[in-house]
C-alpha cells in the first residue's frame, strides 16, 4: 500500500472509531490532531491512537500498554501477539471506563 492509500485507509478507521464512540453513547471525548486520535474519559484516563505513516502502522497507547499494528491479509494485526486492532481497542476502552463498545464494519 502506498502512502496515499495508507492515509485514506486510516482516515476511515479514525472515522469508524469516532462513530462508534458517538453511537454507543460512550462517556468520552475525542479529538483528531494530525496523525493522532486522542480519546479522553470522564475520569481523565486516555487512549491514544496514532497512525505512524513511515512504518505504515497503527499504534494504540493505553494504560494497559502500547501496541503496534500492521496491515496483513486485510486486517490490522499486532506483530507481538497476533491481536486484532479493533478487539485490542475495545479491550482498552473497557479497561479505561468499564463500558463495552462495538465497532461496525
Amino acid at each position: 500500500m502506498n502512502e496515499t492509500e495508507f492515509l485514506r485507509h486510516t482516515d476511515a478507521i479514525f472515522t469508524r472509531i469516532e462513530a462508534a464512540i458517538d453511537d454507543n453513547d460512550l462517556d468520552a471525548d475525542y479529538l483528531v490532531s494530525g496523525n493522532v486520535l486522542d480519546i479522553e474519559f470522564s475520569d481523565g484516563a486516555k487512549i491514544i491512537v496514532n497512525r505512524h505513516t513511515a512504518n505504515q502502522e497503527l499504534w494504540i497507547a493505553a494504560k494497559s500498554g502500547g501496541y503496534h499494528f500492521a496491515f496483513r491479509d486485510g486486517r490490522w494485526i499486532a506483530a507481538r501477539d497476533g491481536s486484532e486492532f479493533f478487539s485490542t481497542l475495545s479491550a482498552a476502552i473497557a479497561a479505561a471506563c468499564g463500558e463495552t463498545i462495538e465497532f461496525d464494519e
Side-chain angles (χ1 to χ4, degrees):
M1 145 177 8
N2 65 37
E3 184 175 330
T4 300
E5 293 168 331
F6 173 77
L7 293 173
R8 188 172 345 146
H9 194 70
T10 54
D11 278 343
I13 289 172
F14 280 17
T15 299
R16 186 173 167 190
I17 294 167
E18 294 166 7
I21 290 169
D22 291 339
D23 294 347
N24 287 276
D25 293 324
L26 196 66
D27 188 16
D29 293 318
Y30 56 83
L31 174 67
V32 175
S33 179
N35 288 334
V36 177
L37 169 64
D38 284 310
I39 304 168
E40 186 170 354
F41 301 92
S42 59
D43 67 354
K46 283 188 176 187
I47 296 173
I48 299 169
V49 179
N50 181 15
R51 60 179 171 199
H52 194 266
T53 306
N55 292 349
Q56 292 195 348
E57 293 180 340
L58 282 171
W59 296 356
I60 295 174
K63 189 173 185 176
S64 58
Y67 308 88
H68 296 193
F69 299 86
F71 196 69
R72 303 282 183 259
D73 300 321
R75 299 179 359 175
W76 291 94
I77 303 296
R80 77 174 180 188
D81 64 4
S83 62
E84 191 270 333
F85 176 81
F86 284 106
S87 63
T88 302
L89 183 57
S90 292
I93 289 170
C97 70
E99 296 183 45
T100 58
I101 187 170
E102 297 292 324
F103 293 96
D104 295 331
E105 298 244 359

